[in-house]
C-alpha cells in the first residue's frame, strides 16, 4: 500500500533545469569557456559536491569545489528570483494527494538554501511533512541514500513510497532504494534509459491520485 509520495524538485516541481544550465553557462563564460552539452547529460540529478567536482574536472577550473558551488548558487538564485516558474500540473497533484491523506516529502539534490528559497517563493512548504536536501547525505544520486533517508524521516518503509523523478540518476536512486518510481523525463536526455521506472509520463499533469494508488 502506498503511503507517501516523494517529489524531486528540479525539473519535477520547478522548471529549473534550463536555469541551472544558464547558470553554468554564465559561470563558465566569465572564464572564457564554452559550455559542453555532453557534460550536461552527466550532471543532471547529481548533488552539489559531485556536480561541482565534475565541473572542476571537466573544465579544469582552478577554484575549489566549494568556491564553484558558492558562485553557482549566487548566480542561480538571482535567475530564480527573476525567471523561475512552477511546472504545469504541480499544484493540482499536490492538493489532490494532500486531500487523499498521502504523506508528502521533497527530496532534492539541491542545497537546502535553494530548496527553502523555492518553498517560500511559491508558498509550497505547507504541503510537505519532510524536506530533504543533498546537503543531508554523503552519497548523492544515483546512490539510493537520499530516498532511504527520506523514508526513515517519514517513518515508513521504502516499498510504501512512490517517487516522482525527471533524471535517470534520480530514477536509479529511487529504484535502488526499493521504491516505486514515476519518471517525467527531461526531454533533453536519452529517453530509453527511463524504462527502468515503473511508470513513464510526458508531463506532471498526466499523474493522477488514482494512478498513484494503482501503483501499489
Amino acid at each position: 500500500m502506498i503511503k507517501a509520495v516523494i517529489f524531486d524538485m528540479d525539473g519535477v516541481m520547478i522548471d529549473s533545469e534550463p536555469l541551472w544550465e544558464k547558470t553554468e553557462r554564465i559561470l563558465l563564460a566569465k572564464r572564457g569557456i564554452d559550455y559542453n552539452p555532453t557534460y550536461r547529460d552527466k550532471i543532471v540529478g547529481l548533488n552539489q559536491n559531485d556536480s561541482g567536482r565534475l565541473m572542476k574536472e571537466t573544465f579544469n577550473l582552478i577554484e575549489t569545489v566549494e568556491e564553484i558551488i558558492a558562485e553557482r548558487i549566487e548566480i542561480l538564485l538571482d535567475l530564480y528570483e527573476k525567471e523561475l516558474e512552477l511546472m504545469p500540473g504541480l499544484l493540482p497533484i499536490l492538493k489532490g494527494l494532500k486531500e487523499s491523506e498521502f504523506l508528502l516529502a521533497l527530496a532534492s539534490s539541491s542545497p537546502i538554501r535553494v530548496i527553502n528559497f523555492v518553498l517560500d517563493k511559491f508558498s509550497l512548504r505547507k504541503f510537505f511533512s519532510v524536506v530533504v536536501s543533498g546537503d543531508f547525505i554523503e552519497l548523492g544520486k544515483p546512490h539510493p541514500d537520499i530516498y532511504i533517508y527520506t523514508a526513515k524521516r517519514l517513518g515508513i518503509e521504502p516499498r510504501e513510497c512512490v517517487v516522482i523523478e525527471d533524471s535517470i540518476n534520480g530514477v536509479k536512486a529511487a529504484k535502488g532504494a526499493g521504491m516505486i518510481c514515476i519518471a517525467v523525463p527531461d526531454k533533453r536526455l536519452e529517453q530509453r534509459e527511463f524504462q527502468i521506472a515503473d511508470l513513464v509520463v510526458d508531463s506532471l499533469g498526466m499523474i493522477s491520485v488514482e494512478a498513484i494508488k494503482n501503483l501499489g
Side-chain angles (χ1 to χ4, degrees), residues 160-215:
E160 298 173 314
C161 301
V162 168
V163 174
I164 302 178
E165 267 284 358
D166 75 310
S167 73
I168 189 61
N169 283 327
V171 173
K172 287 177 179 177
K175 296 305 296 177
M179 298 181 177
I180 296 169
C181 186
I182 300 174
V184 190
D186 185 317
K187 298 300 187 292
R188 301 169 303 166
L189 302 179
E190 173 56 59
Q191 302 298 292
R192 286 176 297 178
E193 293 189 81
F194 286 92
Q195 297 309 309
I196 63 170
D198 297 277
L199 177 65
V200 181
V201 297
D202 288 333
S203 67
L204 200 59
M206 296 178 67
I207 304 173
S208 66
V209 174
E210 285 305 312
I212 288 173
K213 288 179 179 178
N214 290 338
L215 288 171

Side-chain angles (χ1 to χ4, degrees), residues 71-191:
E71 181 178 352
R72 190 167 57 182
I73 290 173
E74 291 303 323
I75 297 170
L76 180 76
L77 290 181
D78 183 59
L79 292 174
Y80 272 18
E81 185 64 54
K82 299 170 184 174
E83 302 180 31
L84 186 64
E85 296 181 353
L86 291 178
M87 282 295 198
L90 176 67
L91 291 177
I93 190 62
L94 286 177
K95 290 175 182 176
L97 289 168
K98 198 74 171 175
E99 289 169 1
S100 298
E101 299 185 342
F102 282 93
L103 294 170
L104 297 182
L106 187 163
S108 170
S109 299
S110 285
I112 192 63
R113 178 183 173 192
V114 175
I115 294 172
N116 285 334
F117 179 93
V118 172
L119 292 176
D120 293 338
K121 179 178 176 65
F122 296 108
S123 301
L124 298 174
R125 200 175 293 277
K126 62 192 175 204
F127 291 108
F128 299 102
S129 54
V130 168
V131 173
V132 176
S133 162
D135 294 343
F136 300 175
I137 48 121
E138 183 176 351
L139 296 176
K141 304 171 186 177
H143 297 282
D145 300 33
I146 191 168
Y147 287 124
I148 293 171
Y149 178 73
T150 301
K152 287 180 180 177
R153 288 276 306 276
L154 287 166
I156 60 177
E157 295 296 319
R159 56 187 168 79
E160 298 173 314
C161 301
V162 168
V163 174
I164 302 178
E165 267 284 358
D166 75 310
S167 73
I168 189 61
N169 283 327
V171 173
K172 287 177 179 177
K175 296 305 296 177
M179 298 181 177
I180 296 169
C181 186
I182 300 174
V184 190
D186 185 317
K187 298 300 187 292
R188 301 169 303 166
L189 302 179
E190 173 56 59
Q191 302 298 292

